[in-house]
């Protein structure tokens, strides 16, 4: 009877029972094997690429199995909350091709029958379960102050005892119910703790869908379940939410693995079936030969916003993440070059158990491949969509020269070896700037790249002659090159490498120097697509004026 009174004093506003909620949120009617997975971020404003990684795994597994993928906002730590973060998360996930079947759809809106999907709106639910635990003698109020807890911790450390609130150190566990009631009525501050039934000498066996079989000692800490602000801790909310939302698979970062003894215990104490767990390896980075976590502070690529800012197509990032999830993705992609990535079957058991290595070089390769396969019109559209937000100058230049820009993006597209110039939209400017006088004319002589074997003076001499002799409308790349060779030969450049090697003193240089001079005059760069094509896109007038300005 007095436990009941204690529960009422702790949670006077709670009239419902756990059964009410268990009925309200019934088992989902889904086909056998359907995965109910979720993305459960805290709205702190910073989105780590690891979050997209976790969300993607959940989303793929749910969609593949005709299950449900939902968004739950974990905002019980209200100090860390940042305005607009929920909307930002939703927009980001959508941008990465992930759509939620249920959950928050905005700061104040949601869809689905298993809500509210925002933890701060679920206080009554958590309190109902906490109240029930108190009634059953499985949870109790703790009045220890932070100072008292610190003193105990120090003593434990000094005596080499596992720190924390357990065994003889869990002093409030042994308060009589009457004493506890008296202290609450006197206005003492409290939190609510679980009365852990665990024994550190027993082991719990567990199967993790990524890590495999694991065993660990039972939890014997009387963990906090309700904080002084009346909101639950992550542990308690996780158990209640995932049970009531009927989550089948809790797929989350491996930083939670060490909390598993607590979570398993909570599910048991609350009488819930345990979900399947899969703990995702942390994304690591190779930093001068040693592996470390991708860090929010040190690595720009840790932030999801980075990929948008520098202009990686989100699909490229997704494909890259799929590569990390299952290393078989690469072969699958090679065998199915045009298939939508959604068709790739993600398998948790094929995932590497240890740190997934994030490799920007590999991301660039994946992205280059993807952009290379896009039609010129799509490259154009995607580029201007990016440039509009991140490079206004390029946006204006490219959109006011739409047909030329599309021709530029079309260079080599249909050839047997299409160029893989762009990994991200930020790269485009440096690769195409020379088509635009506005950018080209800003260059100075120092920017001019020439073959190592050619001086600027010699290049100017070549162009001086070439500009007068070349035929703009010559008809084909082959004819253009023949003419270049003729003019080069007249100028004293050799068209045969062997011959040149044998008698270098007879020549000013190789024909490649002549091409290098033309390339420099038109583009200032030494590595460009085919020159004949560049000239055709620039048009006769621009080509001639470039030659003139060069000399
Ligand atoms: N809010 C937790 C986090 O952001 C969620 C972990 C989970 O998926 O359960 O780390």
């Amino acid at each position: 009877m007095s436990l009941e009174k204690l529960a009422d004093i702790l949670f006077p506003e709670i009239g419902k029972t756990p059964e009410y909620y268990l009925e309200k949120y019934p088992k989902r009617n889904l086909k056998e094997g359907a995965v109910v997975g979720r993305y459960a971020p805290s709205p702190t404003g910073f989105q780590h690429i690891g979050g997209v990684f976790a969300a993607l795994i959940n989303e793929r597994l749910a969609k593949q199995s005709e299950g449900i993928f939902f968004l739950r906002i974990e905002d019980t730590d209200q100090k860390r909350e940042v305005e607009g973060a929920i909307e930002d998360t939703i927009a980001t996930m959508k941008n990465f091709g992930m759509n939620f079947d249920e959950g928050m759809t905005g700061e104040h809106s949601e869809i689905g029958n298993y809500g509210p999907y925002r933890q701060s709106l679920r206080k009554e639910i958590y309190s109902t379960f906490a109240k029930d635990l108190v009634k059953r003698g499985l949870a109790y109020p703790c009045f220890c102050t932070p100072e008292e807890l610190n003193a105990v911790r120090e003593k434990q450390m000094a005596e080499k005892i596992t720190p924390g609130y357990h065994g003889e150190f869990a002093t409030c566990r042994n308060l009589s119910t009457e004493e506890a009631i008296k202290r609450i009525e006197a206005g003492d501050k409290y939190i609510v703790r679980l009365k852990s039934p665990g024994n550190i000498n027993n082991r719990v066996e567990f199967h993790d869908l990524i890590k495999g079989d694991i065993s660990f000692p039972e939890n014997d800490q009387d963990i906090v379940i309700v904080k002084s602000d009346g909101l639950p801790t992550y542990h308690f909310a996780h158990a209640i939410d995932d049970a009531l939302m009927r989550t089948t698979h809790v797929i989350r970062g491996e930083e939670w693995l060490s909390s598993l003894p607590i979570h398993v215990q909570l599910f048991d104490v609350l009488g819930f079936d345990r979900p399947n767990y899969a703990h995702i390896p942390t994304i690591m980075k190779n930093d001068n030969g040693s592996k470390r976590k991708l860090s929010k502070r040190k690595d720009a690529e840790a932030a999801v916003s980075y990929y948008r800012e520098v202009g990686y197509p989100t699909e490229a990032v997704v494909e890259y993440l799929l590569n990390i999830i299952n290393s078989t993705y690469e072969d699958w992609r090679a065998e199915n070059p045009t298939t939508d990535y959604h068709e790739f079957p993600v398998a948790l058991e094929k995932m590497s158990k240890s740190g997934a290595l994030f490799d920007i070089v590999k991301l660039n390769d994946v992205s280059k491949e993807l952009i290379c396969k896009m039609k010129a019109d799509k490259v154009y559209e995607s580029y201007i969509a990016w440039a509009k937000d991140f490079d206004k100058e390029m946006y204006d230049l490219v959109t006011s020269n739409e047909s030329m820009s599309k021709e530029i993006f079309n260079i080599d597209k249909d050839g047997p070896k299409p160029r893989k110039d762009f990994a991200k939209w930020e790269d485009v400017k440096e690769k195409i700037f020379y088509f635009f006088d506005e950018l080209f004319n800003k260059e100075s002589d120092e920017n001019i790249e020439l073959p190592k074997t050619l001086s600027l003076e010699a290049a100017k001499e070549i162009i001086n002659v070439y500009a007068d002799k070349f035929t703009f409308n010559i008809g084909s790349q082959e004819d253009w090159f023949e003419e270049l060779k003729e003019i080069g030969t007249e100028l004293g450049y050799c068209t045969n490498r062997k011959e040149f090697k044998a008698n270098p003193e007879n020549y000013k240089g190789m024909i490649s120097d002549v091409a290098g001079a033309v390339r420099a005059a038109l583009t200032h760069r030494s590595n460009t697509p085919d020159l004949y094509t560049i000239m055709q896109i620039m048009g006769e007038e621009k080509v001639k004026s470039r030659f003139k300005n060069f000399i």
Side-chain angles (χ1 to χ4, degrees):
M1 187 57 206
S2 58
L3 277 177
E4 196 128 327
K5 186 170 172 206
L6 175 63
D8 281 336
I9 290 175
L10 285 168
F11 302 99
E13 72 290 0
I14 299 300
K16 297 196 173 82
T17 60
E19 290 68 37
Y20 168 84
Y21 289 109
L22 290 164
E23 263 169 49
K24 179 169 179 195
Y25 306 111
K27 203 164 181 291
R28 291 166 185 272
N29 195 7
L30 295 168
K31 73 173 216 193
E32 179 79 24
V35 170
V36 179
R38 79 293 193 280
Y39 180 45
S42 300
T44 59
F46 180 84
Q47 294 195 65
H48 194 283
I49 190 70
V52 176
F53 189 51
L56 182 64
I57 300 174
N58 277 286
E59 190 262 358
R60 290 287 76 232
L61 290 175
K63 293 284 148 89
Q64 268 170 219
S65 62
E66 296 175 42
I68 298 286
F69 174 52
F70 70 85
L71 173 65
R72 180 171 71 226
I73 296 298
E74 306 218 317
D75 59 344
T76 56
D77 189 355
Q78 299 197 317
K79 290 189 290 295
R80 293 172 61 217
E81 191 163 338
V82 168
E83 194 145 327
I86 298 178
E87 242 112 56
D88 193 41
T89 300
I90 296 169
T92 300
M93 292 297 138
K94 198 166 171 201
N95 196 26
F96 279 95
M98 288 183 264
N99 292 308
F100 297 103
D101 302 304
E102 280 177 19
M104 301 302 293
T105 52
E107 196 94 29
H108 301 292
S109 54
E110 62 173 39
I111 46 163
N113 297 328
Y114 289 78
Y117 294 90
R118 185 175 180 166
Q119 289 183 331
S120 56
L121 302 176
R122 299 174 61 79
K123 195 168 164 183
E124 190 185 353
I125 303 178
Y126 306 123
S127 300
T128 301
F129 283 87
K131 183 171 187 175
D132 185 62
L133 290 180
V134 172
K135 257 193 221 168
R136 289 158 55 207
L138 297 170
Y140 62 89
C142 166
F143 304 91
C144 293
T145 62
E147 294 73 33
E148 284 166 340
L149 293 173
N150 264 340
V152 172
R153 181 170 290 268
E154 273 169 26
K155 181 172 159 23
Q156 289 168 325
M157 305 279 248
E159 293 174 15
K160 303 213 174 351
I161 298 169
T162 313
Y165 212 75
H166 58 89
E168 61 182 284
F169 305 100
T171 43
C172 292
R173 177 192 257 250
N174 301 320
L175 284 183
S176 69
T177 310
E178 289 66 30
E179 176 69 17
I181 293 174
K182 226 189 269 161
R183 291 187 68 169
I184 296 166
E185 284 175 342
D188 285 6
K189 283 189 73 165
Y190 61 86
I191 51 168
V192 180
R193 289 183 186 273
L194 177 75
K195 192 181 275 181
S196 169
N199 178 342
I200 198 82
N201 298 315
N202 296 342
R203 292 191 79 80
V204 202
E205 309 282 330
F206 208 82
H207 183 75
D208 184 277
L209 294 176
I210 296 173
K211 304 276 176 187
D213 290 329
I214 322 169
S215 96
F216 39 68
E218 278 180 7
N219 170 55
D220 71 342
Q221 302 262 349
D222 284 359
I223 57 133
V224 180
I225 55 173
V226 181
K227 301 180 290 180
S228 56
D229 60 4
L231 286 169
T233 52
Y234 167 74
H235 307 306
F236 195 54
H238 152 53
I240 290 175
D241 291 347
D242 284 315
L244 295 184
M245 293 178 183
R246 308 291 178 175
T247 306
T248 61
H249 288 61
V250 172
I251 306 168
R252 60 183 179 188
E254 68 184 351
E255 66 276 17
W256 295 110
L257 193 59
S258 58
S259 305
L260 207 48
I262 294 173
H263 298 164
V264 165
Q265 185 173 66
L266 279 168
F267 273 83
D268 293 351
V269 169
L270 289 161
F272 299 147
D273 290 339
R274 295 178 192 173
N276 293 298
Y277 281 99
H279 287 89
I280 309 167
T282 306
I283 296 191
M284 310 291 274
K285 168 174 179 142
N286 190 339
D287 189 3
N288 287 325
S290 63
K291 263 194 185 183
R292 64 165 174 78
K293 271 195 209 169
L294 252 197
S295 131
K296 171 173 161 178
R297 222 165 19 88
K298 291 190 211 148
D299 309 309
E301 70 271 29
V304 172
S305 54
Y306 168 78
Y307 301 86
R308 197 167 102 78
E309 279 159 26
V310 301
Y312 282 104
T314 47
E315 222 180 305
V317 181
V318 169
E319 293 221 14
Y320 175 62
L321 294 176
L322 287 169
N323 262 295
I324 308 186
I325 296 171
N326 283 166
S327 57
T328 48
Y329 186 79
E330 193 162 358
D331 290 342
W332 177 87
R333 179 41 90 213
E335 280 161 31
N336 305 277
T338 53
T339 311
D340 191 312
Y341 71 77
H342 293 95
E343 304 285 316
F344 173 75
V346 167
L348 282 183
E349 61 282 5
K350 284 197 203 140
M351 191 158 183
S352 135
K353 291 187 186 7
S354 52
L357 207 55
F358 194 88
D359 174 3
I360 211 103
V361 177
K362 176 85 185 152
L363 167 63
N364 286 341
D365 287 347
V366 171
S367 192
K368 279 181 184 167
E369 199 66 51
L370 184 112
I371 295 176
C372 168
K373 275 192 237 140
M374 284 180 189
K375 295 257 177 272
D377 281 2
K378 170 117 193 257
V379 174
Y380 175 85
E381 294 303 334
S382 311
Y383 181 63
I384 61 167
W386 172 84
K388 193 169 188 193
D389 291 334
F390 297 102
D391 192 338
K392 194 72 181 60
E393 185 185 32
M394 283 305 281
Y395 176 79
D396 291 342
L397 282 172
V398 168
T399 50
S400 51
N401 294 280
E402 181 174 340
S403 70
M404 177 177 84
S405 301
K406 286 184 176 168
E407 281 184 61
I408 299 171
F409 290 135
N410 201 34
I411 296 177
D412 271 358
K413 275 272 176 222
D414 302 322
K417 268 197 161 179
R419 289 182 69 88
K420 293 176 186 164
D421 282 339
F422 317 131
K424 47 191 191 303
W425 303 127
E426 193 185 62
D427 301 342
V428 169
K429 183 178 184 180
E430 169 55 26
K431 301 277 182 192
I432 73 166
F433 79 95
Y434 50 78
F435 284 102
F436 304 94
D437 287 337
E438 294 84 342
L439 299 173
F440 187 78
N441 294 340
K442 278 193 212 154
E443 294 251 307
S444 65
D445 278 4
E446 282 102 72
N447 298 120
I448 301 177
E449 296 175 6
L450 286 165
K452 278 192 206 72
T453 44
L454 193 70
S455 69
L456 184 57
E457 217 158 83
K460 287 186 179 180
E461 273 168 29
I462 294 172
I463 298 304
N464 207 359
V465 175
Y466 184 82
D468 281 341
K469 296 209 162 159
F470 88 107
T471 319
F472 184 79
N473 289 313
I474 197 155
S476 75
Q477 205 275 339
E478 290 73 29
D479 293 343
W480 172 84
F481 191 55
E482 277 313 310
E483 186 188 68
L484 182 95
K485 284 204 275 195
E486 273 165 35
I487 302 174
T489 309
E490 278 171 37
L491 280 166
Y493 288 83
C494 182
T495 56
N496 180 310
R497 183 156 294 279
K498 258 198 196 144
E499 160 67 17
F500 180 68
K501 278 213 161 142
N503 303 296
E505 66 288 351
N506 293 350
Y507 300 96
K508 285 195 191 147
M510 273 295 298
I511 193 68
S512 52
D513 293 327
V514 181
V518 176
R519 200 181 301 281
L522 295 177
T523 71
H524 287 176
R525 293 296 178 269
S526 57
N527 179 12
T528 72
D530 169 57
L531 265 178
Y532 172 71
T533 314
I534 291 180
M535 288 165 78
Q536 294 305 303
I537 295 175
M538 284 184 170
E540 186 163 9
E541 199 183 319
K542 191 177 288 187
V543 167
K544 288 195 163 154
S545 94
R546 291 271 164 104
F547 287 153
K548 195 163 143 234
N549 292 339
F550 189 69
I551 29 188

